[in-house]
Amino acid sequence: DQQVKQNSPSLSVQEGRISILNCDYTNSMFDYFLWYKKYPAEGPTFLISISSIKDKNEDGRFTVFLNKSAKHLSLHIVPSQPGDSAVYFCAATARVGNTPLVFGKGTRLSVIA
Amino acid sequence: IAGITQAPTSQILAAGRRMTLRCTQDMRHNAMYWYRQDLGLGLRLIHYSNTAGTTGKGEVPDGYSVSRANTDDFPLTLASAVPSQTSVYFCASSDVSSGNNEQFFGPGTRLTVL
């Protein structure tokens, strides 16, 4: 049973437009959420995170929104750039007990110039 | 250079052979993790260790073992490799005392079992 779901395996966006990547979770104990970015032949790198006490966190072109009632979060990239083309993983954890991160299956973003 | 190193970068292995994937971090993080990445399946946790001397099972532990003799090293062993263990393996670490559980990943080991 998948606790973290990324239902879109891939997404194509034109350069300069907004990219929106979605993630749903089922475990109500999750209280911290992270997005990772992965280029081919490299390890995932941390991008942005959000605590369950917030509904938005912004870092430059990247914003993560959290809707706790819907158990849904999204990553917005504005404006999208060709260098943003990568696989994006959503992850969640329950910080009590140092629970390991649970990852979604990833969404491959292609930003077209 | 601070970070996580993994060895080997890639390996082709005959089925039935024993193989140890090495992972070393120099950030003094207390927690370490092993994941496998397979197409369409994302990152799945194999084993983890919250501190030296302790280990725990993840989502897909069968066929793998780990040890955590010290803070820096977290080797993953395949006692008798099978073709279904063909995958890309990532080691990661985190400082759980930071409260955010952000994990730092190594560059990965691509393993092919024939």
Side-chain angles (χ1 to χ4, degrees):
Chain A
D1 181 34
Q2 266 190 279
Q3 297 188 71
V4 177
K5 300 179 185 180
Q6 294 177 256
N7 291 321
S8 297
S10 61
L11 175 68
S12 290
V13 172
Q14 206 153 17
E15 181 179 7
R17 306 295 288 268
I18 184 171
S19 295
I20 300 176
L21 294 90
N22 294 303
C23 178
D24 297 291
Y25 63 96
T26 58
N27 190 336
S28 57
M29 297 300 292
F30 288 152
D31 61 358
Y32 197 75
F33 305 89
L34 306 89
W35 285 93
Y36 280 80
K37 178 178 181 178
K38 184 183 180 306
Y39 293 118
E42 294 183 9
T45 56
F46 170 75
L47 186 58
I48 192 169
S49 61
I50 188 166
S51 164
S52 59
I53 63 173
K54 296 185 176 181
D55 54 18
K56 176 183 176 181
N57 188 28
E58 193 172 350
D59 183 2
R61 297 186 296 113
F62 303 91
T63 303
V64 56
F65 295 92
L66 175 62
N67 182 332
K68 288 188 294 292
S69 61
K71 293 189 176 69
H72 176 84
L73 61 155
S74 60
L75 174 67
H76 293 212
I77 306 173
V78 183
S80 301
Q81 299 174 354
D84 296 329
S85 297
V87 177
Y88 290 79
F89 289 101
C90 172
T93 184
R95 283 178 288 183
V96 172
N98 298 325
T99 307
L101 296 181
V102 179
F103 285 85
K105 294 182 178 182
T107 296
R108 180 177 300 278
L109 173 66
S110 299
V111 180
I112 305 161
Chain B
I1 300 175
I4 298 179
T5 57
Q6 292 185 236
T9 303
S10 65
Q11 181 76 45
I12 299 174
L13 189 67
R17 297 296 294 268
R18 180 184 179 88
M19 176 74 191
T20 295
L21 308 185
R22 300 185 297 278
C23 175
T24 299
Q25 54 105 356
D26 63 2
M27 297 175 283
R28 306 302 293 173
H29 285 169
N30 38 21
M32 296 187 75
Y33 314 85
W34 274 106
Y35 293 87
R36 59 179 288 174
Q37 186 195 7
D38 302 289
L39 192 63
L41 296 176
L43 291 161
R44 293 183 293 168
L45 182 67
I46 304 171
H47 285 287
Y48 66 96
S49 168
N50 281 334
T51 188
T54 69
T55 62
K57 292 182 179 180
E59 180 185 355
V60 287
D62 294 343
Y64 306 94
S65 63
V66 292
S67 61
R68 186 90 183 278
N70 57 60
T71 298
D72 299 342
D73 301 298
F74 192 42
L76 176 74
T77 297
L78 290 68
S80 178
V82 294
S84 62
Q85 292 178 309
T86 294
S87 187
V88 181
Y89 291 86
F90 291 101
C91 179
S93 71
S94 68
D95 175 11
V96 295
S97 63
S98 70
N100 61 23
N101 209 7
E102 176 188 333
Q103 293 182 10
F104 296 82
F105 284 81
T109 293
R110 181 175 295 277
L111 181 67
T112 302
V113 182
L114 301 176

